Amino acid sequence: MALTREEELAANLEDIKSRITEASQSSARNPHEISLIVVTKTFPVSDVQILKGLGVNDFGENRDGDARPKANEVQGRWHFQGQIQSNKLKSICSWANVIHSLDDARHFEIIQKVAIHSLDIFLQVNLDGSLHRGGSTIQSLYTLAEQVNADPNHHLAGLMAVAPLGIEPEAAFSQLHEIQLAFCADFPDAAMLSAGMSGDFETAIAHGATHLRIGSQIMGSR
Ligand SMILES: *Cc1c(COP(=O)(O)O)cnc(C)c1O
């Protein structure tokens, strides 16, 4: 008999959780210090409601227009992780609790003007030098961090990255971990690391990830 959507999501979720626990144990890390964000982009609000019923409270989205109606309907901690467009920031700041993809000082200036509640902010680091998947260079990262840190209304949580196409996640995330260790020396209160997606989260855990953004392995292919 075919599985219901709820059974399917529940099974996928259990599978991912046990893989997170195993990967944490192999890296001598505490699985409780690792947060799972279920990336619900392109999936309907009915799926978000099912996930909520299964105990999920952290949802990740890439596009304001897709996310806002879902976030308005289902209470939880909503994470924006897509490329930021200035003209969408006011809306994003209305529903998001966490922004993972800040990489531009001008965007933070807009956030300071339009945000109506406090945000947790991760700075996206570019790991491939080409900037086409977004992210800040190391040079601008520190300036941006100073700027966010100086604002008492928002909280600088840490760094985020996406492993570049064509580079082994192992190489990308070990580079990221070094960047993060140096960063934390200057910003000790921003020690979170958002890294790891469906295809590479175990590698990310081995390199210090505290926030995993997992979509297709739980939701199915988009
Ligand atoms: C889509 C997306 C994810 C989730 O990707 P999956 O491979 O489906 O797990 C995570 N992070 C970002 C930035 C994304 O755009």
Side-chain angles (χ1 to χ4, degrees):
M1 223 169 61
L3 293 182
T4 64
R5 183 65 171 149
E6 178 167 356
E7 288 164 342
E8 183 187 357
L9 290 176
N12 292 348
L13 199 56
E14 279 318 302
D15 177 56
I16 290 295
K17 283 184 185 165
S18 61
R19 285 171 62 188
I20 293 172
T21 305
E22 270 171 46
S24 309
Q25 282 160 355
S26 350
S27 323
R29 298 194 51 204
N30 181 349
H32 296 119
E33 70 188 26
I34 297 174
S35 304
L36 168 63
I37 298 158
V38 181
V39 177
T40 50
K41 65 185 182 198
T42 76
F43 287 93
V45 68
S46 55
D47 280 351
V48 181
Q49 273 151 345
I50 292 172
L51 289 164
K52 182 82 189 175
L54 294 168
V56 175
N57 195 51
D58 287 86
F59 305 101
E61 290 279 341
N62 280 47
R63 283 173 184 277
D64 175 59
D66 181 22
R68 193 183 48 233
K70 294 185 240 180
N72 286 341
E73 195 138 331
V74 184
Q75 292 231 334
R77 198 165 160 74
W78 285 87
H79 301 253
F80 180 81
Q81 55 177 34
Q83 291 222 4
I84 296 174
Q85 290 172 276
S86 313
N87 61 342
K88 298 286 166 58
L89 266 174
K90 185 171 186 183
S91 175
I92 292 167
C93 289
S94 75
W95 58 264
N97 307 100
V98 187
I99 292 182
H100 288 249
S101 44
L102 184 70
D103 61 2
D104 185 329
R106 286 164 302 179
H107 290 158
F108 187 64
E109 285 160 20
I110 298 173
I111 291 173
Q112 289 178 299
K113 291 199 189 86
V114 300
I116 49 173
H117 58 241
S118 174
L119 293 159
D120 280 354
I121 296 178
F122 288 85
L123 307 183
Q124 185 173 352
V125 185
N126 177 273
L127 296 177
D128 71 358
S130 75
L131 301 183
H132 65 266
R133 293 189 96 184
S136 162
T137 60
I138 305 300
Q139 299 92 294
S140 6
L141 189 65
Y142 282 76
T143 319
L144 191 52
E146 301 278 2
Q147 188 191 8
V148 177
N149 219 22
D151 185 337
N153 293 319
H154 302 291
H155 173 238
L156 179 64
L159 302 181
M160 176 276 214
V162 177
L165 296 170
I167 299 182
E168 283 299 317
E170 173 63 35
F173 290 146
S174 79
Q175 183 196 356
L176 176 64
H177 201 184
E178 278 177 35
I179 294 169
Q180 192 227 4
L181 291 174
F183 183 81
C184 286
D186 284 16
F187 299 95
D189 295 330
M192 301 293 115
L193 184 60
S194 168
M197 311 180 9
S198 287
D200 57 21
F201 70 88
E202 281 132 329
T203 310
I205 290 172
H207 293 290
T210 61
H211 290 69
L212 313 174
R213 311 176 312 271
I214 301 182
S216 50
Q217 285 281 328
I218 295 169
M219 308 304 294
S221 56
R222 289 182 293 271

